[in-house]
Amino acid sequence: MLRAVAFLTPFGRAGVPTPRTLDALPPVGALIGLAVGGVWWAADRLWAAPVAAALAVAADAAFTGCLHLDGLADSADGLLPPLDRARRLTVMRDPAVGAFGAVTLVVVLLVRVAALASVHPTPLLIASLWCASRTAMALIARTMRYARDTGGLVSAFGAVDAAGARWAVPLLAGTVIAVPLALLGQGWRGLITLAVAACGAAVVAALARARLGGFTGDVLGAAGVIAETAGLLALAAR
């Protein structure tokens, strides 16, 4: 659990994640989401909805150390333009943000703020969505190979045989936590938001598989952010 906290947030003692770290991603994601939802709920009682939504998005960036947003930007720079596989991986390792990454980051942040501003605060559903997004990260890492030849921070995740069925552990944990929270937070619409969030993560995973042949740490971050954003859009639908 402590390694998962250190991996997903700027809190805790830094350390190299292990394959078992993946099992703790769903509950840690739920705790992050509950904190974000709490900020949203409290801010909504002091400011207008757009301000409360912006503060919630800012809180999410702070609680995650902007790690997942950085992964989203790097993934956009590497996966979206027409490049060969080797060049994609090189671009994604470059800390500089290119045009694709900058535009994607701005658009996603605007969508997140707009979606949150259009609905009443439901902290339990945010906790559910954030749990689902980390569950998706764990499943991608357990079912896809690591795309780089040399190690990165998440290369240890690739040590788990994709056919070895340890993917069931985070899936079970995520389901047990996310589904009840979604039902308590928004009833049957909460389940729809989870389904849409899963589709968002699946799109990122499919793109990474097609263009990289596997996942990287940036891909995990991008999958999480897109899953959350897709779920927020479903929540905000009329």
Side-chain angles (χ1 to χ4, degrees):
M1 177 70 80
L2 293 179
R3 287 181 183 270
V5 171
F7 177 66
L8 293 175
T9 75
F11 311 111
R13 182 178 299 177
V16 178
T18 68
R20 295 181 66 87
T21 303
L22 293 172
D23 297 339
L25 294 194
V28 173
L31 291 175
I32 296 171
L34 192 61
V36 173
V39 170
W40 183 31
W41 181 88
D44 188 63
R45 276 142 183 78
L46 296 173
W47 293 284
V51 177
L55 290 175
V57 170
D60 175 65
F63 294 151
T64 59
C66 294
L67 179 66
H68 305 326
L69 293 175
D70 178 68
L72 174 67
D74 288 341
S75 294
D77 280 333
L79 296 178
L80 297 183
L83 304 169
D84 60 54
R85 178 179 180 275
R87 180 59 180 161
R88 292 184 193 280
L89 290 171
T90 300
V91 168
M92 291 171 70
R93 179 163 277 171
D94 188 341
V97 178
F100 284 89
V103 171
T104 299
L105 189 59
V106 170
V107 169
V108 166
L109 288 174
L110 287 175
V111 168
R112 287 162 79 89
V113 170
L116 286 171
S118 65
V119 295
H120 294 296
T122 53
L124 291 181
L125 186 55
I126 297 302
S128 174
L129 273 176
W130 267 233
C131 173
S133 72
R134 273 62 179 186
T135 302
M137 291 182 190
L139 291 177
I140 290 171
R142 283 269 165 85
T143 58
M144 292 173 61
R145 77 175 188 88
Y146 187 60
R148 297 188 185 279
D149 296 326
T150 56
L153 181 62
V154 298
S155 59
F157 295 160
V160 177
D161 182 1
R166 277 197 61 87
W167 55 266
V169 178
L171 177 60
L172 178 61
T175 301
V176 168
I177 297 171
V179 170
L181 288 175
L183 288 171
L184 289 171
Q186 200 74 9
W188 64 270
R189 290 198 62 173
L191 296 182
I192 292 177
T193 65
L194 290 184
V196 174
C199 291
V203 168
V204 176
L207 186 62
R209 188 188 298 275
R211 299 194 170 183
L212 298 179
F215 77 95
T216 66
D218 289 328
V219 168
L220 296 185
V225 173
I226 294 301
E228 294 162 4
T229 306
L232 291 174
L233 280 174
L235 177 63
R238 296 180 179 178

